Every structure is written in C-alpha cells, then in structure tokens.
Amino acid sequence: MADKGKKEFMKEAVAEAVRGVLAGDGGPFGAVIVRDGEVVSKAHNMVIRLNDPTAHAEILAIRGACATLGRFSLEDCQIYSSCEPCPMCFSAVHWARIPVLYFGCTRSDAERIGFDDSLLYKMLQDPGEKASFKIKRTGREDALEAFELWEAKTDKVAY
Amino acid sequence: MADKGKKEFMKEAVAEAVRGVLAGDGGPFGAVIVRDGEVVSKAHNMVIRLNDPTAHAEILAIRGACATLGRFSLEDCQIYSSCEPCPMCFSAVHWARIPVLYFGCTRSDAERIGFDDSLLYKMLQDPGEKASFKIKRTGREDALEAFELWEAKTDKVAY
C-alpha cells in the first residue's frame, strides 16, 4: 500500500476521533478498518454515549467490520487507530486476526491527556498489590466441567 | 460474602459456559456479574454465533450489566468467570472498575483444550518478532489533533 493511502486512512481514524469528541460520545479515539484499499468500518469511542466501558473505538470498528463481512476473522484487513490501543483493544486485534495495526498517537501521548494504561500493563504482567481489582480463584473443579464437555464435543467449530 | 454464595455464583457461570457449548455459540466460557448478592447479568462466549471475535463471556456480561444499570462503572459489582480471563477481558474488568474478579479454570487449563493466550501475554510485554500482527506507527502529528480538541473541551465527561 502506498504511503499516501496510509496517511489518508489515519486521517479518517482521526476524523472519527474528532467526531466523537464533538458529539460528547467518549474519549478522543477513532479507528478505521480497511480491506483491499477500502474502508470496511470506522468507529469512535462511545463509552459515555453507550454507557459501555468496552465501547472503545477499535472494539466497535472490529465488531462493525465483522458484522459487514459476516465472519469473525479479519485476516485480510488492516486496522488504523488514532492512538496506540489499550491492552483490551490490542488483544481484540489479536483475536480478530488482523495482521497489521497502524497507530498515530502513543500511549505516552494518551497518558498526558489523562488516559493512563500503565497500571493495566503492569497488572497483566503481574497482578500484584497495586492492582485495580482483587483476583480470587474459586470452584475450579466445577468449572472444569464445561471444558470436559467442549473436549467431548465432536462438532465444535475451531476459532 | 459467604463461601456458599461464591460457589453458587461460580456454578452459574459454569452453567452459562455449558449452555454455550451445547448451543454451539462459541468456546466453553461463562461469566456472571453480581451486585448486592444478586445476579445482574450473565453471558457465555458467542464468538461463533455472533461472528464477533470480541464476544467473550466477560465482555458480554459487562455490557449486559452496564445496560441494565445504565452506567459505565460497575464499581459495586463482582464478576465470576468460569475461566481466568484472557487479556482482553481482564482489561475490560479493569475499565469497568469491577473491584473483584473470581475465576475457576486457569489459563493453563484453557491452553490444554486449545485456547492459548501465552503469545498475547508476551506481545503485551514486548511486541517482538514472534507477534501475531505487525505494528506500525504513522501520522502522529495528524492524530494529536483529536487530543488537542479533547484537552480544550470544557464540558468533557471524565471516565
């Protein structure tokens, strides 16, 4: 893909972010998903509008692209995010099998305007005393029941 | 909360997981969100059913609870997950401000039945050569525009 294309897709992601701020929908983040040089979906952060803490731009763009294409794999797409994705969205890019992520602003830029992911990165490495939530294990023996059922299922769809 | 309560909520999460496997909706994972000793929402993995790679049990349970309560914070809730959450869902618990996470099966149990999060954990620490997707930076100067707009916005909602 030519550099001009990349620059324009990033500008579309930024335009989404701007639209979201002006509408009061959420934080200043936008994302665009591209396939064969065409925009498949675009979205901005809607945490406030939707009362949904998972409604980050990348999550919504991935869900939109999957709905449009009718499949849970975006292995032939690229995602443009106006900012380095948080760990939730980074992981969603992985699960969506998107092979290329472009981002504009960095996590340090985001931290400077009040969106700090550093604790979350630390917790993912080592959920320690300074975690934002407590983590407790319970009922593993019960929980293994569902795994055994999955193992025994002969018509399961791999994903 | 008494241990008996915890055990029962975990059993509800597992029952959701079992329901999902039997319906062919997705992987064997269930989650329940509890507030004041009552179940606010429950969900199972729907990746296959919804063609949505973000439709993990915890994400759907969080979205359900937020829709029911009409707010993006679940700071007065607990989440029960039949399995240790993947990094996407772990991060969603953080963003939802849920103070306590209970889980049953471990990530090792999940890996044994074909759900391996280890590459993703590694990538979140250091996106290196063995990453599942390429990460490229582009257009930061353009992207900072949305951040400047956010900074200048006087009526923004903190979240």
Side-chain angles (χ1 to χ4, degrees):
Chain A
M1 191 181 300
D3 275 84
K4 193 183 169 196
K6 284 196 296 192
K7 195 172 172 64
E8 282 172 7
F9 292 132
M10 182 53 70
K11 281 193 175 181
E12 287 208 51
V14 176
E16 268 298 309
V18 166
R19 206 169 290 137
V21 175
L22 294 176
D25 288 345
F29 307 103
V32 166
I33 291 176
V34 174
R35 179 174 170 264
D36 290 343
E38 303 280 342
V39 172
V40 181
S41 71
K42 48 188 178 178
H44 56 257
N45 184 295
M46 299 273 279
V47 168
I48 295 162
R49 174 72 52 199
L50 299 180
N51 274 327
D52 179 356
T54 75
H56 288 197
E58 298 91 333
I59 297 278
L60 297 178
I62 287 169
R63 289 172 53 204
C66 288
T68 298
L69 298 174
R71 48 185 159 88
F72 56 74
S73 169
L74 301 176
E75 61 202 350
D76 51 355
C77 298
Q78 303 88 45
I79 186 164
Y80 290 78
S81 181
S82 66
C83 183
E84 185 174 358
C86 82
M88 177 177 73
C89 295
F90 186 96
S91 304
V93 172
H94 173 77
W95 294 134
R97 301 178 195 169
I98 299 175
V100 190
L101 156 71
Y102 295 94
F103 70 82
C105 297
T106 66
R107 66 178 84 171
S108 303
D109 293 327
E111 189 177 341
R112 269 192 293 275
I113 63 160
F115 295 91
D116 185 1
D117 298 350
S118 59
L119 174 60
L120 187 48
Y121 279 105
K122 281 179 201 152
M123 288 169 65
L124 282 161
Q125 276 184 53
D126 177 25
E129 282 183 24
K130 289 190 176 176
S132 63
F133 56 87
K134 290 182 186 165
I135 301 167
K136 302 181 181 186
R137 290 177 56 178
T138 187
R140 174 169 174 265
E141 291 309 313
D142 289 331
L144 282 171
E145 178 197 330
F147 280 14
E148 285 155 16
L149 187 68
W150 174 263
E151 281 280 85
K153 191 176 170 71
T154 54
D155 63 341
K156 58 182 176 263
V157 177
Y159 72 94
Chain B
M1 188 179 302
D3 274 81
K4 192 182 169 197
K6 284 196 297 189
K7 195 171 171 67
E8 281 171 10
F9 291 132
M10 180 55 69
K11 281 193 177 183
E12 286 207 51
V14 175
E16 267 299 308
V18 167
R19 207 169 290 136
V21 174
L22 294 176
D25 288 345
F29 307 103
V32 166
I33 291 176
V34 173
R35 179 173 172 265
D36 290 341
E38 303 280 341
V39 172
V40 181
S41 71
K42 49 188 178 178
H44 56 257
N45 185 295
M46 298 272 278
V47 168
I48 294 163
R49 174 71 54 199
L50 300 179
N51 275 327
D52 178 357
T54 75
H56 288 196
E58 298 91 334
I59 297 276
L60 296 178
I62 288 169
R63 290 173 55 204
C66 288
T68 297
L69 300 174
R71 49 184 159 89
F72 55 74
S73 169
L74 300 175
E75 61 202 350
D76 52 356
C77 297
Q78 303 88 43
I79 185 165
Y80 290 78
S81 182
S82 66
C83 182
E84 184 174 358
C86 83
M88 177 177 73
C89 295
F90 185 97
S91 303
V93 171
H94 173 77
W95 294 135
R97 301 178 195 169
I98 299 175
V100 190
L101 156 71
Y102 295 93
F103 71 82
C105 297
T106 66
R107 66 178 84 173
S108 303
D109 294 327
E111 189 177 341
R112 270 192 291 275
I113 63 159
F115 296 91
D116 185 0
D117 298 350
S118 57
L119 175 59
L120 186 48
Y121 278 104
K122 282 180 198 150
M123 289 170 64
L124 282 160
Q125 277 185 53
D126 176 25
E129 282 183 23
K130 289 191 177 175
S132 63
F133 56 88
K134 291 181 187 167
I135 300 166
K136 302 180 181 186
R137 290 176 55 177
T138 187
R140 173 169 175 265
E141 291 309 313
D142 288 332
L144 282 171
E145 179 196 330
F147 280 14
E148 285 155 15
L149 188 68
W150 174 262
E151 282 280 85
K153 190 176 171 74
T154 54
D155 62 342
K156 57 181 175 264
V157 178
Y159 74 92

